[in-house]
Amino acid sequence: MAAHVVLYLYIYSLIFFSIFKQKKKKKKKKKGMAGSFAGSVGIGLPCSTKLSHTTTSRSFRFSRVKMAVTLDEKKKFTLKKSEEAFNAAKELMPGGVNSPVRAFKSVGGQPIIIDSVKGSHMWDIDGNEYVDYVGSWGPAIIGHADDEVLAALAETMKKGTSFGAPCLLENVLAEMVISAVPSIEMVRFVNSGTEACMGVLRLARAFTGKEKLIKFEGCYHGHADPFLVKAGSGVATLGLPDSPGVPKAATYETLTAPFNDISAVESIFNANKGEIAAIILEPVVGNSGFIAPKPDFLNAIRKLTKENDALLIFDEVMTGFRLSYGGAQEYFGITPDLTTLGKIIGGGLPVGAYGGRREIMEMVAPAGPMYQAGTLSGNPLAMTAGIHTLKRLKEPGTYEYLDKITSELVEGLVAAGKKAGHAICGGYINGMFGFFFTDGPVYNFEDAKKSDTAKFGRFYRGMLEQGVYFAPSQFEAGFTSLAHTSEDIQHTIAAAEKVFKQI
Ligand SMILES: Cc1ncc(COP(=O)(O)O)c(C=O)c1O
């Protein structure tokens, strides 16, 4: 009898301990998921089960993230927490955001509040997972939160976060940029694309001694006063007129023409003989949706600027290191006088840059008299993330991979849309793409505006529910990355096939 009691006690204690151990394990796992992200450098994702790191046959490496669930297994989509957070945000910040397009005004519905990103994926605070085609609006070309970039940042951070004095990392990134971008012989780092465009305009005016500027309708060059004339991006998305608060005097010298219309540019030159300092343009427009230049447009612009003693500025904040390692200018074989950069060269940290021919850049203070400065310019963390991002992009096969993955995406989306009976057209170059709900062709902003934006809104919200995050506007380009996989693309196309039937 006693032996039986001892045996029962022994068995019960075994069962009790195994249950206790399991509970403890679960608790530990939960704790790790919730707590690992805050301030984590090199740790990566809260939910490491979603990761599958693969080494491809190519020589470049990156984090590939598998969708945690397939379309059919998807749990109920809810944005309850995002909604609560956004309602609170609206009381704290204008429109609840720190940059207008993020508020989803043009697509309707509820913006998602992001919790974390990794590779080609992101997660919102309700736990929904998305394949991301925004890539932080361009910088994430090697994938979000890349392990090597995070590790390099952690090393740099040990030495401090800002020096406000020269550092070696500035030389390294400057050399990389100069050797990559055909037009750049000298470069000045700043903190955003807006700043880069402000600086480059002042420089063009200082160098030429002229004041007038030609820009194109639907092109966006940041939010500085002289560029807020028929601008793209948020201005186009929200259908805003030229912004209040911009003095007439600030835009008086800004002249505009439709993109891809060379005779309109000729007319402006003829009407303003000897007065045009520069033409600035996005060589491939991304801020009215994706619009490629007609075959001879950039060539003709280059010729006209030379004939009229005006400078040609390529705003490559978006296209730099995205269309090819040397940007749009390398891709199209047209060398401007000056170039602006941003996004990718900061690898996800705030950065911008402008550069060009040495004789022009030597006008910039303190080498020359044109004043421009910045407390955080050349910041060691931004330089580090930029250096490691460019290093990866320089590896062989990267742009071929981007081309492969983007063509699969755009061709699949357009085919699925057409099959479902929609008017749709799309385009892409390597890691940049776009599609419009119109038959096309789309050569300029007027053409882009023919797109059915209400339908885009319905498509957008449908795709969000299926775990696909596009830019929340018909008038913004999309971006792929080295971390996007064929599986991501197939997931996206399958989702689109479903949504196209519903809209
Ligand atoms: C072509 C172009 N230029 C300038 C800018 C402004 O850059 P930022 O938002 O970093 O000020 C952008 C931003 O999207 C852009 O796409």
Side-chain angles (χ1 to χ4, degrees):
M1 182 69 187
H4 273 111
V5 171
V6 170
L7 188 64
Y8 282 134
L9 277 174
Y10 177 65
I11 290 169
Y12 277 128
S13 65
L14 272 184
I15 293 169
F16 173 77
F17 273 110
S18 87
I19 290 172
F20 179 73
K21 234 172 143 184
Q22 262 182 10
K23 277 198 171 161
K24 217 173 153 189
K25 230 181 184 177
K26 266 190 192 163
K27 247 189 180 169
K28 223 176 168 182
K29 204 170 164 194
K30 255 192 179 165
K31 215 173 154 191
M33 284 164 76
S36 66
F37 194 68
S40 64
V41 168
I43 293 174
L45 260 197
C47 311
S48 57
T49 47
K50 289 173 185 167
L51 281 180
S52 80
H53 294 267
T54 41
T55 306
T56 65
S57 54
R58 291 180 183 80
S59 59
F60 52 85
R61 296 137 280 123
F62 39 84
S63 309
R64 293 281 174 75
V65 183
K66 269 189 195 301
M67 227 35 205
V69 286
T70 67
L71 275 185
D72 298 329
E73 317 172 309
K74 236 178 146 13
K75 62 180 180 347
K76 199 173 161 3
F77 180 79
T78 169
L79 293 178
K80 197 170 170 295
K81 288 183 185 167
S82 276
E83 209 171 313
E84 282 166 14
F86 188 60
N87 285 338
K90 281 193 280 195
E91 296 299 315
L92 303 168
M93 295 166 282
V97 290
N98 284 305
S99 196
V101 181
R102 295 179 198 173
F104 276 40
K105 280 210 160 175
S106 76
V107 290
Q110 169 63 49
I112 57 174
I113 311 297
I114 303 303
D115 179 56
S116 65
V117 288
K118 186 75 182 171
S120 56
H121 287 216
M122 53 191 224
W123 290 263
D124 68 19
I125 58 173
D126 286 282
N128 302 305
E129 179 180 0
Y130 306 89
V131 180
D132 173 28
Y133 293 105
V134 181
S136 191
W137 300 95
I141 192 165
I142 63 169
H144 287 293
D146 177 83
D147 290 343
E148 279 176 25
V149 173
L150 294 182
L153 281 171
E155 277 307 302
T156 301
M157 221 169 347
K158 286 181 194 159
K159 297 183 177 183
T161 57
S162 175
F163 306 149
C167 69
L168 279 177
L169 295 163
E170 292 169 282
N171 290 18
V172 176
L173 189 60
E175 270 180 16
M176 291 176 95
V177 167
I178 289 166
S179 64
V181 184
S183 68
I184 298 187
E185 292 173 2
M186 281 184 121
V187 66
R188 164 62 57 89
F189 291 115
V190 292
N191 301 289
S192 69
T194 294
E195 247 191 272
C197 293
M198 286 165 66
V200 90
L201 175 58
R202 187 175 304 145
L203 177 58
R205 285 172 165 165
F207 184 76
T208 58
K210 299 188 263 184
E211 294 199 354
K212 290 190 176 167
L213 169 77
I214 301 179
K215 81 172 276 292
F216 291 92
E217 293 163 13
C219 280
Y220 180 67
H221 306 293
H223 62 82
D225 288 352
F227 300 112
L228 286 184
V229 184
K230 298 186 180 170
S233 192
V235 186
T237 297
L238 303 176
L240 294 175
D242 303 342
S243 173
V246 176
K248 278 198 191 79
T251 55
Y252 186 71
E253 310 282 25
T254 308
L255 311 167
T256 59
F259 192 74
N260 270 324
D261 185 344
I262 198 66
S263 63
V265 181
E266 275 167 350
S267 305
I268 295 177
F269 270 117
N270 290 337
N272 298 272
K273 281 228 173 308
E275 292 182 284
I276 310 284
I279 295 186
I280 188 166
L281 79 164
E282 294 178 65
V284 171
V285 185
N287 285 293
S288 324
F290 176 92
I291 305 176
K294 283 182 182 170
D296 209 33
F297 179 65
L298 296 178
N299 236 329
I301 292 281
R302 178 67 284 189
K303 193 162 163 279
L304 266 181
T305 44
K306 276 192 176 155
E307 285 167 3
N308 288 278
D309 255 339
L311 297 178
L312 176 59
I313 307 168
F314 274 11
D315 180 353
E316 297 228 41
V317 168
M318 196 180 274
T319 54
F321 293 92
R322 181 159 283 282
L323 298 194
S324 75
Y325 193 69
Q329 52 199 272
E330 180 187 65
Y331 185 85
F332 292 108
I334 311 268
T335 306
D337 301 294
L338 291 165
T339 298
T340 55
L341 295 167
K343 300 188 191 272
I344 288 173
I345 61 158
L349 277 90
V351 99
Y354 60 97
R357 288 209 312 274
R358 182 173 295 274
E359 58 164 334
I360 310 177
M361 290 304 292
E362 280 182 340
M363 291 232 35
V364 179
M370 190 221 87
Y371 192 69
Q372 183 271 308
T375 300
L376 291 174
S377 297
N379 174 270
L381 293 177
M383 298 294 106
T384 298
I387 290 164
H388 287 271
T389 299
L390 297 196
K391 259 191 192 162
R392 187 74 60 76
L393 285 173
K394 205 163 188 257
E395 290 177 9
T398 50
Y399 292 91
E400 288 81 354
Y401 184 78
L402 288 171
D403 175 62
K404 175 184 136 1
I405 216 82
T406 317
S407 62
E408 206 176 313
L409 172 71
V410 176
E411 283 161 18
L413 278 179
V414 171
K418 283 190 170 155
K419 195 170 164 206
H422 298 290
I424 187 168
C425 65
Y428 65 92
I429 297 176
N430 293 338
M432 182 173 170
F433 70 90
F435 54 92
F436 293 103
F437 279 103
T438 174
D439 283 323
V442 175
Y443 289 127
N444 55 39
F445 188 40
E446 279 309 303
D447 294 339
K449 282 195 286 191
K450 290 177 194 149
S451 187
D452 185 341
T453 50
K455 189 185 271 184
F456 177 80
R458 294 194 294 279
F459 175 75
Y460 186 83
R461 293 191 301 276
M463 291 302 278
L464 210 56
E465 285 199 27
Q466 298 296 331
V468 179
Y469 185 74
F470 287 120
S473 163
Q474 175 72 108
F475 303 121
E476 297 283 358
F479 304 114
T480 48
S481 76
L482 296 179
H484 282 84
T485 60
S486 257
E487 199 184 342
D488 288 331
I489 307 298
Q490 290 319 312
H491 170 87
T492 306
I493 292 167
E497 280 167 355
K498 261 190 176 181
V499 176
F500 278 135
K501 283 186 196 143
Q502 297 160 5
I503 58 172

